[in-house]
Every structure is written in structure tokens, then in C-alpha cells.
Amino acid sequence: MASSTLISDTQPWKDLKAHVDDIKKSHLRDLLSNEERSRSMLVEFDGILLDYSRQQATLETREKLFQLAEVASLKQKINQMYNGEHINSTENRAVLHVALRAPRDAVIQSDGKNVVSDVWNVLDKIKEFSERVRSGSWVGATGKELKDVVAIGIGGSFLGPLFVHTALQTDPEAIESAKGRQLRFLANVDPIDVAKTIRGLNPETTLVVVVSKTFTTAETMLNARTLREWIVSALGPSAVAKHMVAVSTNLALVEKFGIDPNNAFAFWDWVGGRYSVCSAVGVFPLSLQYGFSVIEKFLKGANSIDQHMYSEPFERNIPVLLGLLSVWNVSFLGYPARAILPYTQALEKLAPHIQQVSMESNGKGVSIDGVPLPFEAGEIDFGEPGTNGQHSFYQLIHQGRVIPCDFIGVVKSQQPVYLKGEVVSNHDELMSNFFAQPDALAYGKTPQQLQNENVPQHLVSHKTFLGNRPSVSILLPSLNAYNVGQLLAIYEHRIAVEGFIWGINSFDQWGVELGKSLATQVRKQLNASRTKGEPIQGFNFSTTTLITRYLQASAD
Ligand code: F6P
């Protein structure tokens, strides 16, 4: 396929379009009765089991998706990513988050340089520094140990680390190593978030980590200045050196802010913000909380999937299969959303993180060559742990719109509870729902079944479930740091696969710029109005009225 050809112009895309009618005639009830099909839709790798038999897809569909992958040059694109080519063409950057979790002796070249040695230089520095803080050999300005950490950052400099922190918070090994320590995140520029974050903290025992790839993000820099003031007003200006450190690609700006670059942890422009949790962005604050050895396991889990993604044939390749099926659901079956439904509370921040990874990556309107797409790319991601979600939005998923679901279950609970006299453990209860929901969605309930149950006729249509609603089930052996790393990498690669097939650039994010620059204009006007009494100008009637009202009311 010529690089400027849109994927929708290719024969495999057209074949899949034509194939939709056949699939729409089938029902998951029937598809699931074919055991051979179900068996061939089970994939196992490194303790993870993926079951995609509840997709509205046959073996023929899968074959056609592989043909689509072939014409989209999926394998070549994966290789280009792993080889450090500048596949983020609009920013002229490599996309090498896989290098962040490569073993020390691996060689991954970008622009003629082995980036793995740079990665390990920073990891070694993180290990050393975090051990000093954790052991109490690095102390605050008044000689007290720094037991509390506030990580300031937003978007990719926040969501991934929060997801991992939330997942580890209830893991026994991580709990043990985090004893007596606290990690908090400050993301929103809303002063409420500042107040909430520092409530109960003592500047004397707090280390503030400013996390920003660019070190220019308005929200993060304002929050960083606010917490610098919090430290300085309590401990004096010289305390900044002991209480503030940074993670950034822009060490010059770190220094300008007043943080010693020796106390900064670097990463590189080939790490996209939303793919940065395995860089110092996540590894540093998480190592302060849990110790480097725990976080190293997280990196190893991600690396296991990186290798799988790179070398496994597509038939057995978990992220590739998931990515292709997502494209099938979005672009052919017309299901624009995806529900992420982990049956473990420890993954409550998975969906918010994947929202950014997926929607900032694949929410694009043009191909990588700048040609407007004649189809809609990207998925609308949302989710909530089960069983909570069941009592919230599952009604719509069962009887309203069709939303493909990711069910994620864990064999061994992080915190098992066996109540005396109960036959099933609390975890069994949770997992009963994990096993039941995909079948409820797939099979539904027919009017005939309801009539056999003597349901009054006037309720039959209300109680009917059409079924035929697709899902995948992912079963993890447990949820330790290693498994969390695996899960993260599965999603990251799945999203890249989708973008590679759609032929878009999944690694830039121009869509966030317009709002930022308009906010800058508003900020200037707010300042001019407050300091010089200048009238609000340059906006439409509506915005002018709103800003003016805000200024008047907040001055009262
Ligand atoms: O929201 C846009 C964005 O650029 C994200 O891609 C990024 O993760 C976030 O802002 C934070 O950026 P930085 O790490 O440079 O502060």
C-alpha cells in the first residue's frame, strides 16, 4: 500500500465492510456453541489468558483482519517503532517507551545511539536517590525524615503513576515496603486540589516532586509555585533544595525554576507524555513510595509484553489481536465506545489512565499524511471496577447501546477474605460476577424464556435482553507489580496497533493546543482587567458576558 493511500481504500477494508452483513446475521449465542471456534479464540501468555470468543467475529473475520494488518504494514510499523524510527512524524520523534523497560544489556538505537544505557543511568540514579530518602539519609531542612511525597503533574505526568500507585496500594508486598510513607498527587490547577493534597501534611517531612515533560505546562507550574511558597513560608527559601526535586526532559527550565538539576531525573523526547509512566515520571515517585525493587518488577512485567508484541505471530499476539478487534468494532460494526471493567478495586484508575492513552493517541481526524479520514478513528473509553459499574451504567450496556467491554479478572485476590460460615470467599463472589456478565451480554434473554418463566406478558419486552453484545475477558494470575506492568503494556500496544491500522499518528496531540492558547488569551485579559481595569475585549458576546460576570462577582 502506497504511504498516501488511505486504509479505507484497500481491498481488505472493503472485504471487511462486505463481511459485516454476514456477521450481523449471526448471534453470539450460536457462535459460542462452536467449541472449536471458542478454543481457537483463547490465547495464553506469561500467565495471562485472553478469551475473545465473545466478539462478534468468526474465524473468517479474524483472517480478514489479518489481511487488513498485512495491507496496513502492521508488522513493519511495529518494527519501525521498536527500531527507534521517527514514526511520530509531525513532531519528528521516535516512539520508544519500550526502551524504558528493556533489560540493562538490551540495545535499542535511536538516532545512532543506544538509548538503553541512558535509561539505566537514570534508573540507577532513581534507585540511589530513593533509597537515600527512604532510609532517612536524605533529610529535610530541619533534619526530619521525608516520609511524605507530593507528585505534581497532569495528564501523562499524573494518570499513569496514579494508576500504578492505586494498583499497588493494596498489594501485600508493596504495602510492606511502603510502611509509614505516603504518596499523594496534585494535578488539577483548582485550588481545591491543592488544599486537599496538602491537608494534614507537614512541609518539614514532605518532598515535592514536580513532574513535567516540558516544564511549561501551566497547571503544573502554577501548582509547583504554590507548593514552593508553602515550603518557603514554613521553612525559608533554602529549604527548596532539600524539599523539591523534578522529573523532566527540560533540565534548563528545572534549574531556572530553582531546583538543582542534580536533583532532577531526566527522560527524553522519544517518550510520549501518556506513555511515560515507565520513565522517571512514574518510576521515581513510585520508587520513593514502594522501593525501587518493587517498581523494577513492574518494568519487567511491561517488558515481557513488549517482547511478546514484537515477536509473537499475530495469531497468538495479545495486543495485536485486541487492537484488530477494536478496529473491527469501531470501524466496521460501528460501536464507537469501549467499557473497561476490571473486577478488582485495585484497578480503579485503569480506565482514567487508558482514557488518556487511547483518546489522546487515536482521537485524530486525518491520516499520518494529513489526509482527512473518511471514517472515524479512536474509541470513547470509560469504565469502572465491577461490581460497582453493574449498579451504575451496565443497564445501558445490557439493554441500551452496544458497547464492547473489556472484562479484567484476577485469579488471586490481593486481599483475600474468607468469612466463617460463607461457602464462597468474597473474591469468589466478585469473580462470580466477572464470569456471569460476559455471558449475560452475549446470550441475553429471549421472550420465549421469559414466557416459560411465566413473566406477565406486559413485562416481557421490558425484561427481554437481545444479547449479542461483544466483550473480551482477560484473566490475570494476580495483581502484583509485575502483572500491573503487563496490563499496562497490553493496553499501550493495543492502542498503537489500532492507530497503525487506521493509518494515523497515534503519538502527537495537536488537539489539546487550541484550548490552551485560548486560555492564555483569557488569562491575559483577566490580569489586565484586575490590574488596570481594562474592559474584556476580543471575545464573542457570550464569552465576554461570562468573563465580565465572573470578574464582577468575584470582586464583591
Ligand atoms: O494535555 C496535553 C499534554 O501535553 C499531555 O500529552 C501531557 O501528558 C500533559 O499535557 C502534561 O505535559 P507535561 O508533562 O509537559 O507537563
Side-chain angles (χ1 to χ4, degrees), residues 154-157 212-214 217 220 273-274 356 360 509 512 516:
I154 199 163
S157 294
S212 175
K213 180 175 172 180
T214 54
T217 303
T220 299
R274 55 196 173 272
Q356 192 208 8
E360 198 165 86
Q509 58 286 316
V512 300
K516 284 186 194 173

Side-chain angles (χ1 to χ4, degrees), residues 61 107 151 210 217 230 287 297 322 339 344 349 395 401 406 466 476 553:
T61 319
V107 176
V210 185
T217 303
W230 178 67
S287 293
K297 289 179 191 159
L322 287 171
T344 162
K349 295 296 177 189
Q395 165 66 41
R401 292 167 183 269
D406 293 353
L466 297 176
L476 303 172

Side-chain angles (χ1 to χ4, degrees), residues 272-491:
R274 55 196 173 272
Y275 296 92
S276 65
V277 57
C278 294
S279 72
V281 165
V283 174
F284 180 54
L286 293 164
S287 293
L288 287 166
Q289 178 68 3
Y290 298 107
F292 182 77
S293 62
V294 171
I295 304 310
E296 200 177 1
K297 289 179 191 159
F298 161 70
L299 297 178
K300 282 188 176 150
N303 175 256
S304 154
I305 296 297
D306 293 343
Q307 295 186 32
H308 167 77
M309 160 85 165
Y310 186 67
S311 53
E312 199 77 32
F314 287 175
E315 291 76 11
R316 321 277 323 148
N317 193 314
I318 292 174
V320 167
L321 288 164
L322 287 171
L324 290 173
L325 289 165
S326 290
V327 171
W328 170 239
N329 284 320
V330 174
S331 297
F332 298 95
L333 298 181
Y335 306 141
R338 165 174 58 197
I340 299 169
L341 309 171
Y343 275 66
T344 162
Q345 196 61 31
L347 292 179
E348 68 174 310
K349 295 296 177 189
L350 174 67
H353 177 49
I354 298 308
Q355 264 172 1
Q356 192 208 8
V357 181
S358 167
M359 293 165 79
E360 198 165 86
S361 295
N362 289 341
K364 307 287 161 65
V366 297
S367 76
I368 195 156
D369 302 307
V371 180
L373 296 175
F375 54 86
E376 284 181 305
E379 258 157 343
I380 303 157
D381 293 273
F382 71 101
E384 188 69 35
T387 61
N388 290 9
Q390 291 174 201
H391 299 273
S392 167
F393 51 79
Y394 277 37
Q395 165 66 41
L396 180 140
I397 296 179
H398 279 287
Q399 287 188 312
R401 292 167 183 269
V402 178
I403 298 181
C405 298
D406 293 353
F407 288 96
I408 302 163
V410 177
V411 174
K412 283 196 185 129
S413 173
Q414 289 180 322
Q415 299 287 329
V417 175
Y418 303 93
L419 285 186
K420 264 192 203 140
E422 298 278 342
V423 181
V424 295
S425 69
N426 295 27
H427 187 63
D428 284 344
E429 175 58 32
L430 174 74
M431 290 302 283
S432 303
N433 287 277
F434 167 81
F435 294 117
Q437 287 292 335
D439 274 347
L441 287 166
Y443 287 87
K445 196 159 188 182
T446 63
Q448 188 58 55
Q449 286 172 302
L450 292 161
Q451 272 147 12
N452 294 347
E453 290 172 10
N454 297 323
V455 168
Q457 195 51 40
H458 72 281
L459 287 179
V460 166
S461 62
H462 294 280
K463 292 194 163 197
T464 297
F465 292 70
L466 297 176
N468 207 24
R469 284 155 195 252
S471 66
V472 294
S473 297
I474 299 171
L475 194 57
L476 303 172
S478 54
L479 197 65
N480 53 31
Y482 186 86
N483 308 130
V484 174
Q486 289 177 308
L487 190 61
L488 170 87
I490 287 174
Y491 271 95

Side-chain angles (χ1 to χ4, degrees), residues 77-256:
K77 289 177 183 172
I78 293 171
N79 290 348
Q80 284 171 345
M81 179 168 88
Y82 279 69
N83 291 339
E85 291 182 31
H86 285 210
I87 60 170
N88 176 358
S89 50
T90 60
E91 296 181 304
N92 191 22
R93 288 176 180 170
V95 176
L96 273 179
H97 43 280
V98 293
L100 300 170
R101 50 251 189 159
R104 196 183 280 276
D105 57 359
V107 176
I108 299 178
Q109 302 277 352
S110 180
D111 301 322
K113 188 174 193 291
N114 178 18
V115 296
V116 179
S117 51
D118 289 348
V119 167
W120 275 93
N121 285 340
V122 174
L123 289 177
D124 288 339
K125 185 173 166 183
I126 290 175
K127 182 170 187 273
E128 196 259 340
F129 192 98
S130 58
E131 278 168 9
R132 279 170 72 198
V133 174
R134 288 170 56 80
S135 68
S137 79
W138 175 286
V139 289
T142 57
K144 290 197 175 152
E145 284 189 36
L146 300 175
K147 296 277 194 188
D148 306 316
V149 171
V150 174
I152 304 175
I154 199 163
S157 294
F158 158 61
L159 291 162
L162 177 69
F163 149 60
V164 180
H165 174 50
T166 311
L168 294 184
Q169 234 169 4
T170 38
D171 169 62
E173 187 195 2
I175 290 175
E176 190 53 37
S177 54
K179 260 195 188 139
R181 305 198 61 80
Q182 277 193 79
L183 172 60
R184 298 187 186 182
F185 292 90
L186 172 55
N188 202 333
V189 75
D190 185 341
I192 290 172
D193 209 16
V194 177
K196 222 172 81 181
T197 305
I198 59 175
R199 186 173 302 141
L201 290 185
N202 177 356
E204 280 182 288
T205 56
T206 304
L207 180 67
V208 174
V209 187
V210 185
V211 185
S212 175
K213 180 175 172 180
T214 54
F215 230 70
T216 59
T217 303
E219 296 94 324
T220 299
M221 297 326 296
L222 182 53
N223 279 335
R225 291 195 296 277
T226 307
L227 286 213
R228 184 175 59 190
E229 185 53 32
W230 178 67
I231 288 166
V232 168
S233 58
L235 307 171
S238 62
V240 170
K242 286 287 181 190
H243 291 264
M244 289 192 88
V245 295
V247 174
S248 186
T249 60
N250 195 336
L251 298 184
L253 286 186
V254 169
E255 188 167 16
K256 204 167 161 210

